[in-house]
Amino acid sequence: MSLDLTGDLVVLFRAVVDVESVSGNEGPLADLVEEALGAVPHLRVERDGDTVIARTHTGQAGRVVIAGHLDTVPVAANLPSRLDGERVYGRGTADMKGGVAVALACAAALSSPRRDITWIFYDHEEVEAELNSLTRIAAEHPDWLAGDFAVLMEPTGAVVEGGCQGTLRCQVTTRGVAAHSARSWLGHNAIHEAAEVLERLAAYRPREVEVGGLTYREGLNAVAISGGIAGNVVPDECVVTVNFRFAPDRDEADATAHCRNVFEGFEVVFVDFAPGARPGLDLPIAQEFVAAVGGVPRAKFGWTDVARFSTLGVPAVNFGPADPGKAHADDEFCPIADLFTCRDALLRWLA
Amino acid sequence: MSLDLTGDLVVLFRAVVDVESVSGNEGPLADLVEEALGAVPHLRVERDGDTVIARTHTGQAGRVVIAGHLDTVPVAANLPSRLDGERVYGRGTADMKGGVAVALACAAALSSPRRDITWIFYDHEEVEAELNSLTRIAAEHPDWLAGDFAVLMEPTGAVVEGGCQGTLRCQVTTRGVAAHSARSWLGHNAIHEAAEVLERLAAYRPREVEVGGLTYREGLNAVAISGGIAGNVVPDECVVTVNFRFAPDRDEADATAHCRNVFEGFEVVFVDFAPGARPGLDLPIAQEFVAAVGGVPRAKFGWTDVARFSTLGVPAVNFGPADPGKAHADDEFCPIADLFTCRDALLRWLA
């Protein structure tokens, strides 16, 4: 099969969704994207791992970066895609193959854009930050990411979402003493010990805070728990992996201190951190984009590579089809109307 | 290498310990046992999977069964064995390679026993009951297990332990609603929900009860916990695997009802059950054995295949070297003196 970038947008979207691309398995989809963009005369295409970058070189003043990740979280019996009225359901429909399909269609259509454009389709966004291919590319090919403004086509319900929350993961470990479970009084059960950790999480009341005119809402969640080595052994270790999503007014020191405070008395090890990004909507180039696409900007809750571009000095916003609240849900979907809204907005801005 | 059954007992014991035989990997040790027993003229040896059975056929009235399992729980950086004064440390030293070594030495030494003897060295005792090779052998070769009395050489500190507690495993599952962890308020965290399950386990006060003149002490423990599918997904399921060790006055209906009661309001599925065995020390043949080996019988806490023989109509007791309280502990060990005490007791009883 191959992707038809100039045909029906919904057909293209479903084709992209139906090529399963759970993090680590982006290869087949990246192959199709590379092949399709390679056939577009006005684009220069490069490939690095499973990331595909296509650029115009019209010589226009200024360059915008439009990026989307190819990977999804694990499939939950929700592939292939399913059309139901005005929605397409399936893994990746919300996060974020709608944005990928719109970007692919616009990349083919915008043969003479009013600014030069760098289109980026990348891998390993849904996993630890150090695996994210943009980490490698920022180190090895920083010029590929250079630009005056960036749009991340993460799901925003087709309105502009400014900034993003930061994210960190930590492991809270409880320890005990191993023993045969038939004589459990000789040991100390580390899993039972984790009751207090889970209680604190269940009782946690996340903060809401206004930053740069937008309201951010935090969250502290166990995303994994594991313990036990055999069915007849009192376990001596239990590990709760916690994900803290924090507003962009916190830096790393503040975010980690907050977690240490919540889990005071327990062993806490930080395993992953990605900073938030303040909205940045006061910048002229951001205001120009907002004016072109319309709507009232709001806060971005999910961590996105907006923060990465922000760190590289490239102002960036989120703008893409589908309700971000459906990202990763088993019943995630994309309203077909959002695909056209986003496509038309990009064409209006850049044609 | 090969096992020398007639040489130094401690050398034999350490050789048996140093062949790692975590459940599922009993093959190499079973090969050595089969080879060594096959060279003993007065034994007829059979092999079924990784179980080795050696029998005398002297025509003496009566037959006793002496059994031990070859497998251990997973290694915890405690192999190879280590000699420290009067103790040998290492995985399997307490549970139950001391019994295996004593049985091997006695099998070679007792060329003209006063009762016929069936020596059994079997696999998969430390895992689910349905994997235990005695389950298969009881179905396919019930004659191999036949006898007037059985001794399980599980660790008892070299005194007779009567009966055994029963064991069951159940899975207590909490459910939630999956969502992206950046918008956790749209989901419901199943791991947080498990706090109540762990609290009940931590607060549980196990019963002590007298059965047949011996005191049994129960235990209810989480032996595993798992939940979470990705580092940025609010998990919709968490499973706590619980092991209930119960006194032999409870039958299956009573034991499962007790667990349902403890976890009332949660989803409970029973995955494994093995009945307890009442002490049975009032039987004449049990009293004869106790008199021969000496000491004051006490209750057996761990589940052992005593219950299986009991179900097959073969009275059985536990008697073997090492402190059962050290079974499965990272620092498990066997006092060297126990090896000789048990060997001498068996020889005194059967020579």
Side-chain angles (χ1 to χ4, degrees):
Chain A
M1 70 171 284
S2 61
L3 301 177
D4 177 5
L5 307 189
T6 58
D8 185 279
L9 181 56
V10 177
V11 170
L12 172 61
F13 173 48
R14 296 189 65 184
V16 170
V17 171
D18 289 341
V19 180
E20 180 262 286
S21 57
V22 174
S23 305
N25 190 36
E26 298 91 340
L29 182 55
D31 291 346
L32 290 172
V33 168
E34 182 184 17
E35 181 202 2
L37 293 175
V40 176
H42 59 271
L43 294 175
R44 188 179 303 167
V45 177
E46 311 208 55
R47 168 98 175 232
D48 186 292
D50 287 329
T51 291
V52 179
I53 304 221
R55 285 181 287 185
T56 64
H57 292 274
T58 64
Q60 295 293 337
R63 173 174 290 278
V64 300
V65 178
I66 301 180
H69 61 82
L70 298 174
D71 60 322
T72 70
V73 294
V75 177
N78 51 5
L79 279 187
S81 65
R82 181 170 57 84
L83 180 65
D84 186 356
E86 296 301 309
R87 298 170 168 183
V88 177
Y89 283 83
R91 175 59 76 226
T93 49
D95 188 9
M96 56 165 282
K97 291 186 169 179
V100 167
V102 166
L104 286 170
C106 291
L110 288 164
S111 55
S112 304
R114 55 184 284 262
R115 294 181 187 271
D116 262 319
I117 311 175
T118 300
W119 304 94
I120 304 180
F121 303 90
Y122 63 105
D123 58 278
H124 284 93
E125 194 272 349
E126 297 289 7
V127 286
E128 295 77 22
E130 68 254 37
L131 294 179
N132 187 314
S133 70
L134 292 188
T135 303
R136 183 180 70 245
I137 288 165
E140 295 176 6
H141 309 285
D143 57 303
W144 292 6
L145 306 184
D148 303 292
F149 186 60
V151 178
L152 270 288
M153 297 205 67
E154 293 277 352
T156 64
V159 304
V160 177
E161 290 190 342
C164 77
Q165 303 208 127
T167 177
L168 68 77
R169 287 182 193 85
C170 60
Q171 292 185 326
V172 184
T173 300
T174 56
R175 300 196 186 274
V177 177
H180 194 299
S181 60
R183 294 174 163 260
S184 50
W185 54 92
L186 298 174
H188 181 76
N189 196 312
I191 294 178
H192 298 188
E193 211 49 30
E196 171 71 16
V197 176
L198 301 190
E199 275 173 63
R200 291 190 197 175
L201 284 164
Y204 185 82
R205 292 290 161 264
R207 191 178 65 130
E208 288 193 23
V209 60
E210 193 179 303
V211 183
L214 302 178
T215 301
Y216 291 87
R217 185 171 175 180
E218 301 185 326
L220 188 72
N221 272 274
V223 289
I225 188 167
S226 66
I229 64 159
N232 51 7
V233 179
V234 172
D236 61 359
E237 184 178 283
C238 181
V239 180
V240 184
T241 304
V242 174
N243 184 205
F244 181 36
R245 300 286 178 147
F246 52 91
D249 63 332
R250 294 197 199 262
D251 61 10
E252 183 164 6
D254 183 47
T256 56
H258 182 71
C259 291
R260 285 193 197 284
N261 188 45
V262 170
F263 299 112
E264 193 178 348
F266 291 97
E267 186 181 326
V268 180
V269 174
F270 293 90
V271 293
D272 188 41
F273 175 85
R278 287 174 181 267
L281 292 177
D282 50 339
L283 296 167
I285 197 164
Q287 293 180 339
E288 177 198 309
F289 172 74
V290 170
V293 306
V296 179
R298 61 186 181 200
K300 182 68 185 172
F301 291 114
W303 186 91
T304 78
D305 281 304
V306 160
R308 186 182 306 272
F309 284 100
S310 193
T311 303
L312 291 172
V314 184
V317 297
N318 305 282
F319 174 71
D323 176 0
K326 281 293 170 188
H328 302 195
D330 291 353
D331 65 341
E332 69 172 302
F333 66 87
C334 181
I336 287 172
D338 280 12
L339 298 173
F340 293 98
T341 301
C342 290
R343 184 195 66 179
D344 295 348
L346 288 189
L347 295 179
R348 193 161 57 237
W349 178 40
L350 292 168
Chain B
M1 70 170 283
S2 61
L3 301 176
D4 176 6
L5 307 190
T6 58
D8 185 279
L9 181 56
V10 177
V11 170
L12 171 62
F13 173 47
R14 295 188 65 183
V16 168
V17 171
D18 289 342
V19 179
E20 181 262 289
S21 56
V22 174
S23 305
N25 190 35
E26 298 92 338
L29 182 55
D31 291 346
L32 290 172
V33 168
E34 182 184 14
E35 180 203 3
L37 293 175
V40 177
H42 60 270
L43 295 176
R44 186 180 303 168
V45 177
E46 311 208 56
R47 168 98 175 233
D48 185 293
D50 286 329
T51 291
V52 179
I53 305 223
R55 285 179 288 185
T56 64
H57 291 275
T58 63
Q60 296 293 336
R63 172 174 292 278
V64 301
V65 178
I66 300 180
H69 61 83
L70 297 174
D71 60 321
T72 70
V73 294
V75 177
N78 52 4
L79 278 186
S81 64
R82 179 170 59 84
L83 180 65
D84 186 356
E86 296 301 309
R87 298 170 167 184
V88 177
Y89 283 83
R91 176 58 76 226
T93 49
D95 189 7
M96 59 168 283
K97 291 185 169 180
V100 167
V102 167
L104 287 169
C106 291
L110 287 163
S111 56
S112 302
R114 55 185 284 261
R115 293 179 189 273
D116 263 320
I117 310 174
T118 299
W119 304 94
I120 304 180
F121 302 90
Y122 62 105
D123 58 279
H124 284 93
E125 195 271 351
E126 296 289 6
V127 286
E128 296 75 24
E130 68 255 35
L131 294 179
N132 186 313
S133 70
L134 292 188
T135 303
R136 183 180 70 245
I137 288 166
E140 295 175 7
H141 307 285
D143 56 304
W144 291 5
L145 306 184
D148 302 294
F149 186 60
V151 177
L152 271 288
M153 296 205 68
E154 293 278 351
T156 63
V159 304
V160 176
E161 291 190 342
C164 76
Q165 301 207 130
T167 177
L168 69 79
R169 288 182 191 86
C170 60
Q171 293 184 327
V172 184
T173 301
T174 56
R175 300 197 185 275
V177 177
H180 194 298
S181 60
R183 294 174 164 260
S184 49
W185 54 92
L186 298 174
H188 181 76
N189 195 313
I191 293 177
H192 298 189
E193 208 54 28
E196 170 72 16
V197 175
L198 301 190
E199 275 173 62
R200 291 190 196 175
L201 284 164
Y204 185 81
R205 292 290 162 264
R207 192 178 64 131
E208 289 193 22
V209 60
E210 193 178 305
V211 183
L214 303 178
T215 300
Y216 291 87
R217 186 171 174 181
E218 301 184 328
L220 187 72
N221 272 274
V223 289
I225 187 166
S226 66
I229 64 159
N232 52 7
V233 178
V234 172
D236 62 358
E237 185 178 282
C238 181
V239 180
V240 184
T241 304
V242 173
N243 185 206
F244 181 36
R245 300 287 177 145
F246 52 91
D249 63 330
R250 293 196 200 263
D251 61 11
E252 183 163 5
D254 184 46
T256 56
H258 182 70
C259 291
R260 285 193 195 285
N261 187 47
V262 170
F263 299 112
E264 193 178 347
F266 290 97
E267 186 181 325
V268 179
V269 174
F270 293 89
V271 293
D272 188 43
F273 176 85
R278 287 172 180 268
L281 293 177
D282 49 339
L283 295 167
I285 196 163
Q287 293 181 340
E288 178 197 309
F289 172 75
V290 171
V293 306
V296 179
R298 61 188 181 199
K300 182 68 184 170
F301 292 115
W303 187 90
T304 77
D305 281 303
V306 159
R308 187 182 306 273
F309 283 100
S310 192
T311 304
L312 291 172
V314 184
V317 297
N318 305 282
F319 175 72
D323 176 0
K326 281 293 170 188
H328 302 195
D330 290 354
D331 65 341
E332 68 173 305
F333 67 87
C334 181
I336 287 172
D338 280 12
L339 298 173
F340 292 98
T341 301
C342 290
R343 183 195 65 178
D344 295 348
L346 288 188
L347 295 179
R348 192 160 58 240
W349 177 40
L350 291 168

